[in-house]
mmCIF file of all heavy atoms in Angstrom:
data_model
loop_
_atom_site.group_PDB
_atom_site.id
_atom_site.type_symbol
_atom_site.label_atom_id
_atom_site.label_comp_id
_atom_site.label_asym_id
_atom_site.label_seq_id
_atom_site.Cartn_x
_atom_site.Cartn_y
_atom_site.Cartn_z
ATOM 1 N N ALA A 130 -13.130 5.320 10.791
ATOM 2 C CA ALA A 130 -13.418 6.013 11.970
ATOM 3 C C ALA A 130 -14.816 5.568 12.532
ATOM 4 O O ALA A 130 -15.085 5.437 13.689
ATOM 5 C CB ALA A 130 -13.343 7.483 11.888
ATOM 6 N N ALA A 131 -15.766 5.411 11.546
ATOM 7 C CA ALA A 131 -17.084 4.967 11.905
ATOM 8 C C ALA A 131 -17.104 3.531 12.431
ATOM 9 O O ALA A 131 -17.795 3.179 13.395
ATOM 10 C CB ALA A 131 -18.042 5.157 10.743
ATOM 11 N N LEU A 132 -16.334 2.676 11.839
ATOM 12 C CA LEU A 132 -16.238 1.311 12.231
ATOM 13 C C LEU A 132 -15.434 1.085 13.540
ATOM 14 O O LEU A 132 -15.563 0.005 14.149
ATOM 15 C CB LEU A 132 -15.711 0.459 11.114
ATOM 16 C CG LEU A 132 -16.522 0.354 9.791
ATOM 17 C CD1 LEU A 132 -15.736 -0.289 8.632
ATOM 18 C CD2 LEU A 132 -17.837 -0.420 10.102
ATOM 19 N N LEU A 133 -14.502 1.962 13.788
ATOM 20 C CA LEU A 133 -13.611 1.830 14.911
ATOM 21 C C LEU A 133 -13.736 2.957 15.865
ATOM 22 O O LEU A 133 -12.791 3.806 16.051
ATOM 23 C CB LEU A 133 -12.176 1.730 14.401
ATOM 24 C CG LEU A 133 -11.835 0.603 13.415
ATOM 25 C CD1 LEU A 133 -10.439 0.837 12.903
ATOM 26 C CD2 LEU A 133 -12.008 -0.727 14.017
ATOM 27 N N PRO A 134 -14.852 3.184 16.505
ATOM 28 C CA PRO A 134 -15.154 4.340 17.346
ATOM 29 C C PRO A 134 -14.212 4.455 18.556
ATOM 30 O O PRO A 134 -14.063 5.562 19.125
ATOM 31 C CB PRO A 134 -16.605 4.189 17.846
ATOM 32 C CG PRO A 134 -16.876 2.700 17.709
ATOM 33 C CD PRO A 134 -16.071 2.202 16.525
ATOM 34 N N GLU A 135 -13.578 3.336 18.956
ATOM 35 C CA GLU A 135 -12.691 3.365 20.146
ATOM 36 C C GLU A 135 -11.243 3.366 19.683
ATOM 37 O O GLU A 135 -10.309 3.144 20.596
ATOM 38 C CB GLU A 135 -13.033 2.281 21.043
ATOM 39 C CG GLU A 135 -14.389 2.375 21.674
ATOM 40 C CD GLU A 135 -14.740 1.313 22.653
ATOM 41 O OE1 GLU A 135 -14.193 1.386 23.809
ATOM 42 O OE2 GLU A 135 -15.406 0.349 22.358
ATOM 43 N N SER A 136 -10.932 3.576 18.420
ATOM 44 C CA SER A 136 -9.614 3.640 17.873
ATOM 45 C C SER A 136 -9.269 5.119 17.608
ATOM 46 O O SER A 136 -10.162 5.926 17.455
ATOM 47 C CB SER A 136 -9.351 2.784 16.651
ATOM 48 O OG SER A 136 -9.603 1.417 16.947
ATOM 49 N N ARG A 137 -7.960 5.469 17.415
ATOM 50 C CA ARG A 137 -7.522 6.778 17.025
ATOM 51 C C ARG A 137 -7.169 6.736 15.514
ATOM 52 O O ARG A 137 -6.019 6.391 15.186
ATOM 53 C CB ARG A 137 -6.345 7.205 17.802
ATOM 54 C CG ARG A 137 -6.688 7.266 19.333
ATOM 55 C CD ARG A 137 -5.490 6.816 20.212
ATOM 56 N NE ARG A 137 -4.296 7.499 19.943
ATOM 57 C CZ ARG A 137 -3.017 6.982 20.200
ATOM 58 N NH1 ARG A 137 -2.932 5.747 20.705
ATOM 59 N NH2 ARG A 137 -1.963 7.572 19.864
ATOM 60 N N VAL A 138 -8.105 7.078 14.749
ATOM 61 C CA VAL A 138 -7.980 6.902 13.248
ATOM 62 C C VAL A 138 -7.421 8.087 12.608
ATOM 63 O O VAL A 138 -7.799 9.235 12.866
ATOM 64 C CB VAL A 138 -9.344 6.568 12.552
ATOM 65 C CG1 VAL A 138 -9.182 6.501 11.079
ATOM 66 C CG2 VAL A 138 -9.861 5.225 13.159
ATOM 67 N N THR A 139 -6.292 7.922 11.801
ATOM 68 C CA THR A 139 -5.693 8.935 10.998
ATOM 69 C C THR A 139 -5.644 8.482 9.560
ATOM 70 O O THR A 139 -5.981 7.356 9.271
ATOM 71 C CB THR A 139 -4.266 9.226 11.496
ATOM 72 O OG1 THR A 139 -3.482 8.032 11.334
ATOM 73 C CG2 THR A 139 -4.235 9.772 12.909
ATOM 74 N N ALA A 140 -5.185 9.347 8.610
ATOM 75 C CA ALA A 140 -5.085 8.944 7.254
ATOM 76 C C ALA A 140 -3.757 9.398 6.736
ATOM 77 O O ALA A 140 -3.393 10.566 6.983
ATOM 78 C CB ALA A 140 -6.269 9.452 6.375
ATOM 79 N N ALA A 141 -3.064 8.572 6.005
ATOM 80 C CA ALA A 141 -1.685 8.902 5.456
ATOM 81 C C ALA A 141 -1.253 7.863 4.540
ATOM 82 O O ALA A 141 -1.821 6.762 4.418
ATOM 83 C CB ALA A 141 -0.682 9.132 6.609
#
Side-chain angles (χ1 to χ4, degrees):
L132 293 170
L133 304 172
E135 296 183 76
S136 301
R137 297 144 53 205
V138 176
T139 60

